[in-house]
């Protein structure tokens, strides 16, 4: 390769120079700079000098190079090629993993369309898993918007066209009674984490049915890239019960069941059987993350299973954790307490209610009762402000219904209530109008404006609108990434992205490491506090309410250590004896994208012991 893409080469040089992963200061058991040797095992990338012990496999020939878990492409040495029976099946060229990364980057940078970039990366994952994760971790800020939001939303919409090779397990409503048999089809036995969806509420895009498989695949890729969970221990699952999306039902290329969604008793029996079959096969410690279920099912399923299985709903609890982390970081700017704020939510679904409940827990730590805390939270749904006496309020919304006249629009609500913070989670693009943003700036010296809806096309406002209309005083966070904003006076802001990826990889790593059986909301509040603690004054000055995405592996590591400490302190861990060194314990569970060696363990006996006996 005679020329390398400049940005890729720069990225590689930056990574190689950076060396190992940094652990944040403040650990009582390990001062900054400790665990140097152990940290080399979890570094984001390496300089190619580290050698690991050999691994053994009975596979040979094409079974090696067609297996993404084993394939190293042209990084196989000559000895490995001869011993594994693949010599001649690869070009006569030997590449380091660093050069392979550059080859991928050169191909990646020729793609302009984000969907084309997504397909390139997913094809790499199907071909060479370790190289895929090496590429992802080389520049997580670049690749996260491609393998997850916002591009994954487009990929799901186009899943029938982008479909190359099946990933994950497709379980349908017609498989009831046989789910245990279907799990036996999956080649890996030691599954520690499952992300499951029924495809009914994919991001802000609605019912995509079987096309929703892109979400569990993308989530679990971030489990590994951001948290270090081993990919062989992850299983994406799509529960196909049909779709109510008539466009898909009419599409001859649609790859799912072509009938309306099955609901009621049959649906519940499918979920029950799935949960039982998973824990029967993989154990009660298997983490099951529910993802993108409709409001009508999400809370019901979470409340039904949260105290019976190791499970959580990322749309409710993960979103809550990352949003509250942003609020806690914002308090470093406003210099007051959560209980001093009044929150107005645009939306009253899973995300809004999850955030609200975690805010109540945070206020309770400041000494407020649940009732007093709820009075500081207001919600606006499609029918207007949620108030007492309004018809068709479900149980979850009733807690936030206040004695107040009915107000129809968000603009009126903001103008009347004069909140200190507005949080958008209803996927209503442009909901935060110019008037709303200017009103927020007139009520507050530092208004908190969170436009958290995904994908970018559904955001309530852009970062530029927030910063310009508030003259740089707005404290902004979004669900999808926005470019930096430069104001007329030269001030530059880097918008904080309240991405759930700050939460679920670290939570998963910590839960899996110590065998937590039930995941309480306290774990998500602990996670939010950990994320906010990592936001520096320099970050805040730049407009960031979250640590830079480039440090997300460090963030996930610290969250996992915090969860492990919390689990043993509160007796919810199931793995004993309790490890003395929690950091080293978590590090031992982290996946490395470095290639394994397949060279056989060869040795010789003393010559006299090998003499051939003759007649």
């Amino acid at each position: 390769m005679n020329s390398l893409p400049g940005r890729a080469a720069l990225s590689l040089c930056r990574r190689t120079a950076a060396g190992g992963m940094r652990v944040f200061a403040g650990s009582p058991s390990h001062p900054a700079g400790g665990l140097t040797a152990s940290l080399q095992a979890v570094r984001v990338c390496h300089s190619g000098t580290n050698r690991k012990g050999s691994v053994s496999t009975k596979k040979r020939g094409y079974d090696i190079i067609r297996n993404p878990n084993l394939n190293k492409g042209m990084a196989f040495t000559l000895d490995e090629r001869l011993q594994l029976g693949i010599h001649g099946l690869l070009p006569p060229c030997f590449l380091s993993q660093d050069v392979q990364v550059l080859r991928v980057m050169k191909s990646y940078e020729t793609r302009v369309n984000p969907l084309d970039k997504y397909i390139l990366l997913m094809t790499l994952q199907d071909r060479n898993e370790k190289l895929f994760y090496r590429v992802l971790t080389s520049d997580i800020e670049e690749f996260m918007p491609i393998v997850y939001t916002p591009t994954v939303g487009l990929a799901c919409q186009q899943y029938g066209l982008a479909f190359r090779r099946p990933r994950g397990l497709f379980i349908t409503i017609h498989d009831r009674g046989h789910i245990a048999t279907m799990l036996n089809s999956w080649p890996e036995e030691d599954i520690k984490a499952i992300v499951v969806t029924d495809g009914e509420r994919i991001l802000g895009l609605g019912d995509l049915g079987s096309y929703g498989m892109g979400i569990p695949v993308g989530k679990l890729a971030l489990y590994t890239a951001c948290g270090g969970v081993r990919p062989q221990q992850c299983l994406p699952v799509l529960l196909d019960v049909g779709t109510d999306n008539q466009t898909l039902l009419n599409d001859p290329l649609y790859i799912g069941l072509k009938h309306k969604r099955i609901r009621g008793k049959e649906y519940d029996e499918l979920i029950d059987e799935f949960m039982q079959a998973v824990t029967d096969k993989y154990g009660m410690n298997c983490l099951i993350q529910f993802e993108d279920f409709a409001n009508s099912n999400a809370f019901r399923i979470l409340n039904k299973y949260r105290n019976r299985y190791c499970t959580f709903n990322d749309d409710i609890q993960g979103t809550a954790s990352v949003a509250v982390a942003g609020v806690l970081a914002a308090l470093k700017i406003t210099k007051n307490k959560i209980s001093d704020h009044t929150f107005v939510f645009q939306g009253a679904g899973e995300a809004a209610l999850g955030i609200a409940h975690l805010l109540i827990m945070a206020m309770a730590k400041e000494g407020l009762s649940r009732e007093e805390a709820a009075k500081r939270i207001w919600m606006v749904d499609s029918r207007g402000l949620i108030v007492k006496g309004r018809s068709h309020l479900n149980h979850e919304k009733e807690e936030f219904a206040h004695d107040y006249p009915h107000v129809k629009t968000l603009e009126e609500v903001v103008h009347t209530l004069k909140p200190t913070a507005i949080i958008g989670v209803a996927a209503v693009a442009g909901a935060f109008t110019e008037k709303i943003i200017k009103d927020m700036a007139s009520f507050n010296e530092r208004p908190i404006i969170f436009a958290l809806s995904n994908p970018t096309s559904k955001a309530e406002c852009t970062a530029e609108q927030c910063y310009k209309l508030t003259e740089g005083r707005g404290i902004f966070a979004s669900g999808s990434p926005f470019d930096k904003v430069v104001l007329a006076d030269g001030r530059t802001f880097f918008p904080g992205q309240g991405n759930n990826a700050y939460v679920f990889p670290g939570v998963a790593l910590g839960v899996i490491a110590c065998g937590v059986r039930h995941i309480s909301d306290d774990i998500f509040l602990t996670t939010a506090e950990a994320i906010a603690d990592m936001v520096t004054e320099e970050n805040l000055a730049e407009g960031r309410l979250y640590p830079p995405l480039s440090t997300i592996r460090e963030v996930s590591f610290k969250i996992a250590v915090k969860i492990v400490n919390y689990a043993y302190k509160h007796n919810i861990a199931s793995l004993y004896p309790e490890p003395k060194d929690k950091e080293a314990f978590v590090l031992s569970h982290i996946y490395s994208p470095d290639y394994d060696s397949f060279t056989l363990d060869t040795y010789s006996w003393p010559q006299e012991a090998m003499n051939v006996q003759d007649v």
Side-chain angles (χ1 to χ4, degrees):
M1 190 164 57
N2 296 323
S3 64
L4 299 174
R7 190 174 54 157
L10 179 62
S11 172
L12 180 65
C13 293
R14 186 169 63 242
R15 289 183 284 107
T16 303
M21 186 184 83
R22 176 173 60 86
V23 172
F24 287 87
S27 166
S29 56
H30 291 285
L35 281 174
T36 303
S38 298
L39 287 175
Q40 293 305 315
V42 75
R43 64 198 184 288
V44 173
C45 293
H46 69 98
S47 58
T49 58
N50 186 53
R51 294 289 295 170
K52 296 166 62 176
S54 296
V55 297
S56 176
T57 177
K58 294 181 179 179
K59 296 183 183 294
R60 291 293 183 272
Y62 272 129
D63 288 342
I64 295 284
I65 57 178
R66 289 178 176 172
N67 185 326
N69 299 339
L70 301 175
N71 184 31
K72 301 197 294 185
M74 285 182 280
F76 284 109
T77 66
L78 181 60
D79 283 345
E80 288 174 327
R81 297 181 192 201
L82 291 168
Q83 292 168 2
L84 296 172
I86 57 175
H87 187 44
L89 301 182
L90 295 167
C93 178
F94 304 93
L95 303 179
S96 70
Q97 196 180 43
D98 286 339
V99 174
Q100 288 182 307
V101 169
L102 294 175
R103 287 172 60 90
V104 172
M105 285 300 300
K106 189 167 187 179
S107 179
Y108 177 88
E109 290 177 356
T110 64
R111 269 69 168 180
V112 178
N113 187 320
L115 185 59
D116 290 339
K117 294 180 177 182
Y118 173 88
I119 292 171
L120 172 74
L121 292 174
M122 291 302 105
T123 303
L124 176 62
Q125 187 180 19
D126 289 335
R127 188 176 71 248
N128 184 335
E129 195 165 63
K130 291 228 171 196
L131 183 57
F132 169 76
Y133 285 111
R134 176 72 189 281
V135 168
L136 250 60
T137 54
S138 71
D139 192 348
I140 201 74
E141 260 182 304
E142 166 69 30
F143 296 113
M144 187 184 290
I146 302 298
V147 298
Y148 201 58
T149 183
T151 306
V152 73
L154 177 62
C156 286
Q157 289 176 302
Q158 304 289 329
Y159 204 75
L161 297 175
F163 187 80
R164 295 293 187 274
R165 176 174 171 176
R167 295 197 70 84
L169 201 59
F170 292 84
I171 298 174
T172 76
I173 191 73
H174 308 308
D175 297 312
R176 280 184 304 143
H178 306 282
I179 294 179
T181 302
M182 296 192 70
L183 291 176
N184 289 333
S185 300
W186 192 250
E188 302 292 341
E189 294 291 328
D190 186 27
I191 298 299
K192 300 292 187 185
I194 291 174
V195 175
V196 57
T197 185
D198 69 354
E200 189 170 5
R201 194 200 63 83
I202 299 298
L203 300 174
L205 303 172
D207 187 349
L208 296 184
S210 197
Y211 285 177
M213 178 57 97
I215 296 295
V217 169
K219 283 274 184 183
L220 288 171
L222 297 186
Y223 265 51
T224 301
C226 302
V229 178
R230 295 182 176 104
Q232 289 78 28
Q233 296 179 336
C234 298
L235 172 59
V237 175
L238 187 287
L239 299 177
D240 192 346
V241 297
T243 178
D244 291 338
N245 185 329
Q246 195 59 46
T247 302
L248 294 181
L249 293 175
N250 295 337
D251 185 355
L253 298 180
Y254 178 58
I255 62 174
L257 295 181
K258 294 188 177 181
H259 57 65
K260 293 288 187 178
R261 283 188 171 271
I262 304 295
R263 302 186 185 276
K265 183 182 177 185
E266 289 179 87
Y267 179 90
D268 289 347
E269 287 176 351
L270 178 75
I271 305 293
D272 276 339
E273 183 187 349
F274 171 73
M275 299 297 284
Q276 188 65 51
V278 164
T279 50
D280 284 348
K281 184 171 180 65
Y282 303 123
M284 292 301 295
N285 287 355
C286 182
L287 169 62
I288 304 170
Q289 175 186 326
F290 286 93
E291 186 72 25
D292 287 346
F293 282 72
N295 291 352
S296 58
N297 290 319
F299 284 103
R300 191 172 60 84
I301 289 172
L302 177 62
N303 292 331
K304 182 177 182 179
Y305 296 124
R306 67 190 307 166
N307 295 320
R308 293 168 53 192
Y309 298 98
C310 177
T311 185
F312 73 96
N313 184 304
D314 187 57
D315 303 302
I316 299 171
Q317 295 160 291
T319 301
S321 187
V322 76
V324 171
V327 172
L328 292 173
L331 297 182
K332 297 180 181 182
I333 298 173
T334 59
K335 308 296 183 185
N336 53 13
K337 301 185 295 185
I338 284 189
S339 52
D340 294 326
H341 288 267
T342 301
F343 298 88
V344 167
F345 285 85
Q346 164 64 18
E350 298 169 43
L353 291 164
I355 297 167
H357 285 300
L358 209 61
L359 284 172
I360 287 175
M361 288 180 63
M363 292 185 206
K365 290 184 77 170
E366 294 181 354
L368 262 65
S369 67
R370 188 173 183 87
E371 293 73 23
E372 284 297 314
K375 289 178 182 177
R376 290 161 167 77
I377 297 171
W378 301 74
M379 293 191 179
V380 179
D381 63 9
S382 58
R383 296 171 179 234
L385 184 65
I386 293 177
V387 294
K388 286 187 177 176
R390 211 188 80 177
S391 59
H392 305 295
L393 287 182
N394 59 31
H395 171 71
E396 285 81 17
K397 291 181 181 180
E398 281 179 352
E399 183 176 4
F400 302 99
H402 304 299
D403 280 318
Y404 201 82
H406 180 62
V407 182
K408 282 192 174 182
T409 69
L410 182 64
E411 279 191 357
E412 292 178 84
V413 171
V414 170
H415 187 73
T416 306
L417 294 177
K418 295 179 172 54
T420 56
I422 53 174
I423 300 175
V425 282
V428 179
F432 295 168
T433 62
E434 180 176 339
K435 183 180 187 309
I436 288 175
I437 297 172
K438 284 185 173 179
D439 278 351
M440 287 294 293
S442 69
F443 309 145
N444 306 285
E445 178 62 29
R446 300 303 302 269
I448 298 172
I449 300 173
F450 286 5
L452 298 181
S453 292
N454 285 316
T456 311
S457 60
K458 300 288 185 179
E460 288 76 13
C461 70
T462 67
E464 184 175 20
Q465 288 169 335
C466 174
Y467 289 124
K468 287 191 174 179
L469 293 173
T470 63
E471 298 174 334
R473 292 185 287 116
I475 303 173
F476 179 80
S478 61
S480 288
F482 282 101
D483 292 333
K484 69 179 181 180
V485 176
V486 181
L487 298 185
D489 59 10
R491 284 180 295 164
T492 301
F493 296 96
F494 297 86
Q497 186 189 353
N499 194 316
N500 290 20
Y502 282 110
V503 174
F504 62 80
V507 169
L509 180 61
V511 165
I512 291 168
C514 63
V516 172
R517 291 280 173 89
H518 308 298
I519 306 173
S520 69
D521 285 335
D522 288 320
I523 283 180
F524 289 98
L525 185 55
T526 298
T527 299
E529 292 167 347
I531 295 169
D533 286 345
M534 286 180 267
V535 180
T536 66
E537 290 299 326
E538 291 78 11
N539 296 150
L540 295 172
E542 293 177 337
R544 301 182 194 268
L545 293 182
Y546 300 93
L549 270 177
S550 58
T551 66
I552 197 164
R553 282 171 68 86
E554 302 163 24
V555 173
S556 298
F557 172 76
K558 186 172 183 183
I559 289 170
V561 172
K562 260 207 158 185
I563 288 173
V564 169
N565 278 311
Y566 177 90
Y568 282 106
K569 181 180 178 181
H570 293 85
N571 298 315
I572 59 172
S574 64
L575 187 68
Y576 284 90
E578 177 181 348
K580 292 180 181 179
D581 188 335
K582 304 295 194 302
E583 289 180 345
F585 172 69
V586 172
L587 284 169
S588 70
H589 287 78
I590 289 179
Y591 170 80
S592 169
D594 298 346
Y595 285 140
D596 296 310
S597 170
F598 293 96
T599 306
L600 295 179
D601 181 15
T602 57
Y603 56 96
S604 182
W605 286 8
Q607 186 60 46
E608 59 273 16
M610 295 189 296
N611 287 337
V612 178
Q613 296 185 19
D614 205 349
V615 177

